[in-house]
Amino acid sequence: MLDFKYYTPTKVVFGKGTESQVADLVKEFGGKKVLIHYGGGSVVRSGLLQRVKDTLDGAGVSYVELGGAVPNPHLGLVYEGIDLCKKEGVDFILAVGGGSAIDSAKAIGYGVANEGDVWDFYDYSRKPQACLPVGVILTIAATGSEMSDSSVITKEEGLIKRGCNSDLCRPKFAIMNPELTMTLPDYQTACGCTDIMMHTMERYFTNSGTMEITDALAEGLLRTVKKNAIILRDDPKNYDARAEVMWAGSLAHNGLTGCGSDGGDWMTHRLEHELGGLYDVAHGAGLAAIWGTWARYVYKECLPRFKKFAINVMDVEDKGTDEEIALRGIEAVEDFYRSIHMPTNLRELGVEPTEEELVTLAKKCSIAVGGAKGAAKVLHEEDMLAIYRASM
Ligand code: NZQ
Ligand code: ZN
């Protein structure tokens, strides 16, 4: 096992009706003038936004609002939010929505609290020194951005999707009412479950040391999400299943399932981020489309972990050679994706890149990771290209 730091400062308020506590929480963390930031309108249609505004009005907390964060959120709206916050003297950002609204809120927070162009933090040329406090009311269980140190933004010019990681942006509080996720389209629920599992799988597939407790938490989380994803496919209004998945989403990406290891592989995410940037696909679906090909490309160099995963998570029988067991585990994951209507290749994702586009994807991915990356197997640009090609 390796030494580690574990930092999860987010206050979690979980359960039915918890959004009614939003004004108290904003005040607790010093917010006097709030930017309410949200996505494309689901929170307007559900009535959540109005309830939030009524609660803030009732508590005498003033606010301005900015909607329009799209999936794969855009830098242009981040700039707009920064200008609005500066003009209005905003000192707290409340994201109401999913990973896209939260990530956009974090980026606005960086842009207000630091001089210069906020994109510098996403193209790694500078590190942020501060961030306005961010609070969250979560409406989709997926990215874990409600507790994570990450914000992922797409620059429209060149369609470049990049993440910035820093403890500074970890939300002060996260309100999680599983009932708020019941209006999700089935596709987004399945995308969310895929992303949640992938955050823990990225950490799981590594050749560095690990800990028995970390593996047990990771395997338990993965089994729980796998089971409840099927329950939600058949019964989307099941509160308990919504709650299991929602809490799993936070634990999958707040660092808990990576303690004692090197942080994990993350190449499926990196390969997906290029697809999201170029083709604007849903993040979870993009991960599902690429994972099987990635896994077959790397499993031989991380065989003990693939075998353990197959047996402990995917219920593969401990029979045959290690390679056979590992491959049956990969097939079982793909069967699971199909069972929740997720794609297992690019064609099923609805994307058919030309050879030139495949080369561009691999080049951009290699630049984004600084040349090479991976903990199950280190991948270089030619490996990335081979995986994109094979995932057609
Ligand atoms: O925009 P609205 O109208 O709200 O609709 C959204 C959007 O169309 C809809 N939705 C959300 N909650 C809903 C709802 N519809 C009905 N009822 C509800 N309760 O669902 C769609 C997807 O929302 P979005 O916020 O885009 O989804 P998600 O949470 O999956 O976020 C995806 C983004 O987060 C990034 C992804 O790359 C992608 O850009 N990620 C962020 C991470 C982080 N910050 O830690 C880690 C992840 O690995 C990921 O990269
Ligand atoms: Zn993800």
Side-chain angles (χ1 to χ4, degrees), residues 155-307:
K155 184 178 188 174
E156 297 90 323
E157 190 193 335
L159 296 173
I160 304 167
K161 183 173 172 177
R162 293 275 187 278
C164 170
N165 290 63
S166 139
D167 281 335
L168 297 165
C169 78
R170 287 191 194 263
K172 300 294 175 199
F173 66 79
I175 291 175
M176 290 189 237
N177 173 1
E179 286 181 324
L180 297 179
T181 67
M182 287 186 187
T183 50
L184 277 169
D186 294 343
Y187 183 72
Q188 288 296 340
T189 299
C191 284
C193 291
T194 304
D195 192 22
I196 292 167
M197 291 180 71
M198 200 63 71
H199 290 155
T200 283
M201 286 155 71
E202 296 278 22
R203 291 174 167 90
Y204 192 90
F205 293 110
T206 173
N207 284 309
S208 83
T210 182
M211 298 174 77
E212 195 179 321
I213 179 72
T214 298
D215 280 357
L217 288 165
E219 289 164 4
L221 188 151
L222 290 167
R223 282 196 305 272
T224 301
V225 179
K226 183 163 69 90
K227 176 180 152 193
N228 285 283
I230 302 287
I231 295 175
L232 290 177
R233 178 196 64 191
D234 301 332
D235 180 14
K237 301 269 186 226
N238 186 309
Y239 179 84
D240 289 341
R242 288 278 175 199
E244 297 284 356
V245 167
M246 196 173 216
W247 187 222
S250 301
L251 299 183
H253 203 32
N254 74 359
L256 182 67
T257 59
C259 295
S261 89
D262 62 356
D265 189 86
W266 293 100
M267 273 312 297
T268 307
H269 263 75
R270 294 313 196 108
L271 292 161
E272 190 289 326
H273 279 175
E274 299 312 324
L275 294 171
L278 208 52
Y279 304 109
D280 205 18
V281 296
H283 173 60
L287 294 171
I290 213 90
W291 186 81
T293 311
W294 168 84
R296 285 192 181 81
Y297 196 84
V298 307
Y299 79 97
K300 285 185 188 157
E301 303 202 23
C302 195
L303 202 49
R305 302 296 287 169
F306 273 91
K307 179 185 175 188

Side-chain angles (χ1 to χ4, degrees), residues 7-26:
Y7 181 64
T8 52
T10 306
K11 180 168 189 168
V12 173
V13 181
F14 194 101
K16 292 180 183 172
T18 42
E19 63 274 17
S20 66
Q21 300 175 40
V22 66
D24 290 343
L25 285 160
V26 168

Side-chain angles (χ1 to χ4, degrees), residues 24-100:
D24 290 343
L25 285 160
V26 168
K27 284 182 176 172
E28 182 180 330
F29 289 98
K32 292 191 172 54
K33 180 76 181 269
V34 177
L35 172 70
I36 306 176
H37 192 42
Y38 56 94
S42 71
V43 299
V44 179
R45 290 190 295 280
S46 69
L48 174 62
L49 182 67
Q50 192 55 52
R51 290 209 303 284
V52 169
K53 292 198 283 190
D54 291 346
T55 308
L56 294 178
D57 284 334
V61 177
S62 61
Y63 57 83
V64 288
E65 58 182 281
L66 179 66
V70 291
N72 303 310
H74 289 170
L75 182 61
L77 190 72
V78 170
Y79 289 144
E80 211 181 300
I82 294 167
D83 289 345
L84 181 63
C85 287
K86 286 184 175 166
K87 186 168 138 248
E88 297 284 343
V90 164
D91 58 12
F92 193 97
I93 307 177
L94 177 65
V96 185
S100 297

